[in-house]
Amino acid sequence: MFPIRDHNPSERVPYVTYALIVLNVGVYLIGLVLYQTDQALNQLYFDYAMIPLLLSQGENYSSLVTSIFLHAGIMHLAGNMLFLWIFGDNLEDKMGHVPFLAFYLLCGVGASLAQFATEPLSPVPTVGASGAIAGVMGGYLLLFPKARVDVFLFFVVFFRIFPIPAWIMLGLWFALQLFNGFNTDVSGGGVAYWAHAGGFVIGAIAALPLWLRLGGTAFWERTDGHPDHPEARYGRSSIPRVRRR
């Protein structure tokens, strides 16, 4: 089960979300051209991936940022960009372009540090935008818990697309990261579940001031979490008056 779209239109063009997708895809394609051997690829990861052991030795702090834009395969990239496409535009709409970019990078760095905290002496490189995107998902959950998300369910020969509230989809996703984090050996390769969980929590916390500024729980009550509701656009005090006829 995975999401394919949400029913949550945004009012402004999400230039930063689009730019992040283009940048991630561009970096991946450049990597395919320039780093074709295993030796070259290993050097790329050594230079730009987040390697906990190097951080513990006081080296390569820049990898906390550069690792966010590297991916280990086409499916890794495609999955991350799909989630960013679905959830990024709404947060950018509410935050503004530059604040959203800062939010995204903060979540990515925080997610890397969360993974580092679980395995500070690991020599295994960590790459991917999923920690930053998990932060976007955490912020989305806080602002738009009742927004409808279409999910694709596939089971053997049966498949179906159906809408569910964002809080169910994102809550299940977060619970799965925690479950896998507690039941996966962090010393090997694979998925960095603690980066996902850490990014998600950081994103929710970082979005908290915006949520409070929008009215907190009153924002949910007035709009059901949908940004196209008049009070989400204008605020309660500035909704255009009704014209009688």
Side-chain angles (χ1 to χ4, degrees), residues 1-8 82 86-87 140 147-153 160-166 169:
M1 183 178 73
F2 60 91
I4 58 174
R5 61 177 174 263
D6 68 341
H7 300 273
N8 202 357
L82 174 63
I86 294 172
F87 300 111
Y140 190 101
R148 311 297 288 184
V149 178
D150 285 347
V151 298
F152 178 82
L153 177 65
R160 182 180 178 185
I161 297 173
F162 57 95
I164 61 175
M169 182 260 146

Side-chain angles (χ1 to χ4, degrees), residues 70-81:
L70 297 176
H71 289 84
I74 187 63
M75 295 307 297
H76 185 204
L77 173 69
N80 280 344
M81 295 305 99

Side-chain angles (χ1 to χ4, degrees), residues 53-76:
L53 180 60
L54 294 183
L55 291 184
S56 295
Q57 296 172 348
E59 302 176 27
N60 207 12
Y61 291 125
S62 61
S63 66
L64 293 172
V65 174
T66 57
S67 62
I68 302 172
F69 299 96
L70 297 176
H71 289 84
I74 187 63
M75 295 307 297
H76 185 204

Side-chain angles (χ1 to χ4, degrees), residues 16-44:
V16 173
T17 298
Y18 293 161
L20 288 170
I21 292 173
V22 170
L23 180 59
N24 277 280
V25 173
V27 168
Y28 181 76
L29 293 177
I30 291 172
L32 289 181
V33 174
L34 298 182
Y35 300 91
Q36 297 185 1
T37 66
D38 290 341
Q39 181 179 1
L41 191 60
N42 288 336
Q43 187 63 48
L44 172 68

Side-chain angles (χ1 to χ4, degrees), residues 83-200:
F83 276 68
L84 180 57
W85 174 270
I86 294 172
F87 300 111
D89 62 323
N90 298 113
L91 256 67
E92 184 176 349
D93 185 34
K94 287 300 178 187
M95 291 181 174
H97 303 305
V98 175
F100 175 72
L101 177 59
F103 170 87
Y104 181 89
L105 294 175
L106 171 67
C107 292
V109 172
S112 293
L113 290 175
Q115 187 66 31
F116 165 77
T118 66
E119 47 176 2
L121 299 180
S122 172
V124 179
T126 299
V127 297
S130 52
I133 297 169
V136 173
M137 294 162 65
Y140 190 101
L141 175 61
L142 181 63
L143 266 64
F144 310 111
K146 297 181 182 180
R148 311 297 288 184
V149 178
D150 285 347
V151 298
F152 178 82
L153 177 65
F154 177 78
F155 182 73
V156 189
V157 295
F158 169 82
F159 69 91
R160 182 180 178 185
I161 297 173
F162 57 95
I164 61 175
W167 70 268
I168 293 179
M169 182 260 146
L170 295 174
L172 288 174
W173 183 89
F174 179 65
L176 183 62
Q177 308 314 303
L178 290 178
F179 176 83
N180 287 329
F182 282 115
N183 291 277
T184 301
D185 181 9
V186 298
S187 62
V191 179
Y193 293 110
W194 288 116
H196 295 176
F200 191 95

